[in-house]
Amino acid sequence: MDTTITKTVYAASAVLYALLVLTIFLRKKLILKRAGKCVLSVRPRSAKFSASIIVCAPFIMLFSAFVDLRFYFKWMLCAVALLATEIAVREASTLRSSGVYENGIVTEGEVILFTHISGAKKGSETGEIRGECIAELEVRGKGMRRITYADEGERDAVLKAIFECCPQLKRGMV
């Protein structure tokens, strides 16, 4: 019985993996539709992370099929591979489209609408990690979102564009 269930899990994992990868362009289209017209485009993020996970995830699932593990470990490896694929696909869907748009900010596979943002500011000096330039957005219902930019000029340009699109947020700047 365990082999039948395990085979079903592998088949379902393969189908889910394929669906996740095939949705990259659909996700991008839907995100950009919600975001509106581009106001400021930022430097594209590297695709190495997303591509390597998307390539390696099926090998993790195959590895679990050929290694003698208990069936729940095999299921767990499939679940971890699918979760990693979801994260990579989410990131890959907006790699070349990150920036400020008329309705919000597109970053890391999502659009943060201006209507959901209650404040925006530069990252605090103590919050800077290894010289990274961070913009902090207070998002209603989700808490503080920290977005990393390539340099201070890019971060400042993004904050300026945000405040031009949504002037009421300027009061929240520190």
Side-chain angles (χ1 to χ4, degrees), residues 135-149:
E136 294 180 345
L137 303 176
E138 181 66 39
V139 182
R140 288 185 197 98
K142 293 186 179 181
M144 187 67 69
R145 287 292 316 270
R146 297 170 60 98
I147 304 170
T148 306
Y149 291 100

Side-chain angles (χ1 to χ4, degrees), residues 60-123:
I60 293 171
M61 290 187 271
L62 278 173
F63 169 78
S64 70
F66 294 111
V67 175
D68 186 27
L69 298 170
R70 295 205 183 268
F71 62 91
Y72 47 85
F73 284 119
K74 292 181 179 194
W75 300 355
M76 204 171 11
L77 280 174
C78 287
V80 167
L82 288 172
L83 182 61
T85 303
E86 165 60 24
I87 292 168
V89 165
R90 187 181 305 156
E91 174 102 11
S93 64
T94 59
L95 281 175
R96 306 282 181 241
S97 305
S98 294
V100 180
Y101 288 73
E102 64 185 353
N103 297 329
I105 302 159
V106 173
T107 182
E108 298 171 0
E110 70 175 325
V111 60
I112 303 170
L113 297 174
F114 290 134
T115 56
H116 297 151
I117 300 173
S118 58
K121 63 181 181 177
K122 294 179 183 180

